[in-house]
Amino acid sequence: MESNIMIQVDVARLKEHIGQKVTVKGWLYNCRSKGKIHFLQVRDGSGTVQGIIIKGVLPDAEFEHVGKLGQESSLEVDGTVREDTRSPTGVELDVTAVRPIQDVKDYPIALQEHGPDFLLQNRHLWLRSRKQHAVMRVRSRVELAIRQFFDNRGFTLVDAPIFTPSACEGTTTLFEVKYFDEDKAYLTQSGQLYMEAAAMALGKVYCFGPVFRAEKSKTRKHLTEFWMLEPEIAYGTLEDVMDLSEALIVHLFTEVLNTCKQELATLERDLTKLEDVARGGFPRITYHEASKLLATMDTGFVHGNDFGAPDEQALAQHFGRPVMIHRWPAEIKAFYMKRDPADPTLALGVDLIAPEGYGEVVGGGQRAEDLQFLLDQIKAHQLPQEAFEWYLDLRRYGTVPHAGFGLGLERTVAWITGREHVRECIPFPRMLYRIYP
RNA sequence: UCCCCAGUAGCUCAAUGGUAGAGUAGGUGACUGUUAAUCACUUGGUUGUAGGUUCGAGCCCUACCUGGGGAGCCA
């Protein structure tokens, strides 16, 4: 009699069970048959293992049936774990029993190249593919590392609202929703203003959640719904923001390098690129310096303007590393930015541009803490003052210098994983003209 | 909103204006170490839609639809 002490084991932990009989519960990634041997690639979410079935071990009818199971058939497999140098993971499973849960025919996503439209239409199934699986694991790891980073530095997580009564910055287009009877609400585009309030209560805070942009952007760097991390520091300065964002990026890259080796290998990511970022020491240049640099390049840049995509690309390429650009002309930055005391035409803002074309990953700076200055700015930008009264209260009751930044999660994950497009870096991307599935 | 590109088998793609094809998936069979296995046979089509030019249109023209890339704006 076979014993009943069979234990269910995650594929990722099979190495700890060499020589033991185990059960793996998962899905059939692929099945190759060599006549009297079947090779089953079984994935269970934690990894993939190859199961070997030799004719004679199972009754013939069962052996035939297993050989005809389609891709993504769900099944339970019993077998003995065996060390095998031929396996990429070092172990194989000598299968003694297969219990199909569902026999699948015509799984839509074949083991071949597919176009983006087809894959996005089948995003719910595409997630099962090796590379997408790896990206999701890295994303999860990055989110964890973000939480750890801020927790270790004494920050408090403060969740920002998603419904907001009006624009946070008044620039980008917002998604409008009906809020009961006649009222309108908007989906937040940033939690920053709320974090400023939270920082006055808790000192060092951050929020991390989805934000929404109704801009009709159709590029590989844009989503209409994406996740943004926004720390805010009471008594913080522009320098603090630059130091903190660099330390964060270094931490994220280091963590992923240390804990996601398998995933990065699956994604065929060039590790030397990541290791370079993990060393830190990002160049920091002023807008004025960047402008001089661009003058020697041929991007059509005009001093005083914001950088366009070609300018950003040229700067990123010139340094080949993440580069921080700070002290921007005030008129092209948001109303709440503090002016540089050394030159009031400049705003104390900073953007971090990633190399390899991933664009602006971090944007932030020091906030204006002076009440009268903000009142003037709101008037100059023709913003409705009554909507900002609560924000102005922060300058009426114990105002202090403070600073913060925002980091786009999907751009960061795309950068780390080397993906061409941010849509692969969020489980279910929401984009212009695409909200299915 | 603007510019560029593409829509042919379930999927990935071919096809000088002249009989619509391959690979893969699906089906049938062979094979005891395969790594997207291989080999043989086989099912599968309103060429995105509507017009137009032509003896003849997958191919040329117009409009529309869908998708992709980019600009602007942003993370």
Side-chain angles (χ1 to χ4, degrees):
Chain A
M1 273 304 281
E2 204 62 56
S3 68
N4 291 326
I5 56 169
M6 195 87 73
I7 49 164
Q8 187 194 340
V9 176
D10 284 349
V11 167
R13 311 197 66 161
L14 283 176
K15 264 187 184 156
E16 301 162 25
H17 297 268
I18 288 167
Q20 295 176 25
K21 293 206 70 175
V22 301
T23 299
V24 169
K25 300 184 179 184
W27 297 263
L28 187 62
Y29 183 73
N30 193 17
C31 174
R32 287 180 287 272
S33 180
K34 195 79 170 50
K36 290 176 183 163
I37 296 189
H38 295 323
F39 299 92
L40 303 183
Q41 305 293 330
V42 180
R43 57 167 201 87
D44 75 342
S46 76
T48 303
V49 66
Q50 173 158 273
I52 313 295
I53 311 182
I54 295 173
K55 192 170 185 179
V57 172
L58 301 184
D60 280 4
E62 251 178 69
F63 181 83
E64 295 296 326
H65 183 217
V66 169
K68 286 178 181 170
L69 288 174
Q71 194 187 348
E72 288 303 314
S73 291
S74 42
L75 40 70
E76 295 180 8
V77 174
D78 297 342
T80 307
V81 184
R82 174 172 44 75
E83 222 168 354
D84 195 309
T85 51
R86 288 169 292 191
S87 161
T89 59
V91 294
E92 286 190 342
L93 202 60
D94 286 324
V95 176
T96 53
V98 177
R99 290 180 297 280
I101 309 298
Q102 185 187 39
D103 188 353
V104 170
K105 290 298 172 206
D106 299 319
Y107 181 67
I109 301 182
L111 299 176
Q112 70 171 74
E113 295 277 327
H114 294 280
D117 183 38
F118 176 78
L119 289 172
L120 289 167
Q121 210 61 25
N122 289 281
R123 180 57 172 170
H124 51 297
L125 303 176
W126 186 24
L127 284 170
R128 303 182 188 189
S129 304
R130 286 172 62 244
K131 290 192 177 181
Q132 297 307 306
H133 174 267
V135 173
M136 288 306 118
R137 297 266 288 218
V138 171
R139 178 185 167 109
S140 169
R141 192 70 217 188
V142 168
E143 292 187 273
L144 178 63
I146 285 172
R147 295 284 180 101
Q148 287 171 335
F149 178 88
F150 286 104
D151 197 57
N152 289 340
R153 281 170 170 72
F155 281 71
T156 301
L157 175 67
V158 179
D159 300 312
I162 287 179
F163 285 137
T164 58
S166 64
C168 291
E169 302 179 19
T171 51
T172 51
T173 320
L174 298 171
F175 284 105
E176 191 179 294
V177 295
K178 194 165 177 298
Y179 199 73
F180 301 113
D181 303 328
E182 294 305 312
D183 279 347
K184 285 176 190 169
Y186 303 90
L187 300 184
T188 186
Q189 59 181 322
S190 163
Q192 182 201 316
L193 302 192
Y194 296 98
M195 287 308 101
E196 291 188 49
M200 301 306 136
L202 294 142
K204 291 185 283 186
V205 299
Y206 70 106
C207 64
F208 187 24
V211 294
F212 308 86
R213 303 279 165 92
E215 282 292 333
K216 295 200 169 178
S217 297
K218 256 180 83 166
T219 82
R220 63 189 158 146
K221 290 193 285 236
H222 289 88
L223 296 165
T224 55
E225 175 183 322
F226 66 96
W227 280 58
M228 189 153 68
L229 161 75
E230 296 176 277
E232 193 71 32
I233 314 159
Y235 291 99
T237 64
L238 174 66
E239 294 301 317
D240 292 332
V241 161
M242 291 199 276
D243 291 345
L244 188 70
S245 55
E246 175 170 324
L248 172 67
I249 298 278
V250 165
H251 176 71
L252 298 183
F253 276 66
T254 305
E255 278 296 296
V256 173
L257 276 167
N258 288 342
T259 61
C260 299
K261 285 191 172 64
Q262 184 63 55
E263 286 80 4
L264 293 172
T266 298
L267 294 164
E268 300 172 73
R269 184 61 167 125
D270 182 353
L271 297 185
T272 62
K273 294 244 168 57
L274 304 188
E275 284 156 358
D276 176 65
V277 175
R279 275 188 283 273
F282 306 155
R284 298 178 185 185
I285 60 172
T286 63
Y287 170 89
H288 197 70
E289 288 164 338
S291 173
K292 272 189 201 159
L293 241 156
L294 284 170
T296 67
M297 304 174 190
D298 192 23
T299 61
F301 173 73
V302 179
H303 184 82
N305 289 357
D306 203 351
F307 295 146
D311 308 313
E312 228 175 56
Q313 179 67 35
L315 288 169
Q317 205 162 357
H318 178 263
F319 288 95
R321 311 201 64 210
V323 54
M324 292 191 197
I325 300 160
H326 58 93
R327 291 180 168 81
W328 297 73
E331 60 267 24
I332 58 171
K333 286 291 177 185
F335 76 93
Y336 49 71
M337 286 224 180
K338 184 179 172 68
R339 297 298 174 88
D340 186 353
D343 180 352
T345 66
L346 298 178
L348 292 176
V350 58
D351 284 357
L352 184 143
I353 315 256
E356 298 180 80
Y358 291 101
E360 186 185 338
V361 166
V362 167
Q366 196 165 333
R367 324 301 188 189
E369 75 265 31
D370 182 74
L371 176 63
Q372 192 53 52
F373 175 80
L374 271 181
L375 284 168
D376 293 344
Q377 284 296 301
I378 284 170
K379 197 165 285 175
H381 284 79
Q382 297 178 313
L383 296 171
Q385 189 186 318
E386 61 280 9
F388 291 95
E389 283 302 333
W390 68 269
Y391 185 69
L392 294 167
D393 271 354
L394 305 175
R395 276 73 181 174
R396 291 186 182 108
Y397 306 110
T399 191
V400 298
H402 60 290
F405 66 87
L407 172 139
L409 179 65
E410 290 74 16
R411 285 189 184 179
T412 305
V413 172
W415 178 17
I416 293 175
T417 58
R419 294 304 86 192
E420 185 70 20
H421 202 299
V422 289
R423 67 188 165 210
E424 289 185 47
C425 299
I426 186 167
F428 295 95
R430 302 289 85 139
M431 302 184 295
L432 183 62
Y433 307 136
R434 192 183 284 285
I435 195 168
Y436 176 94

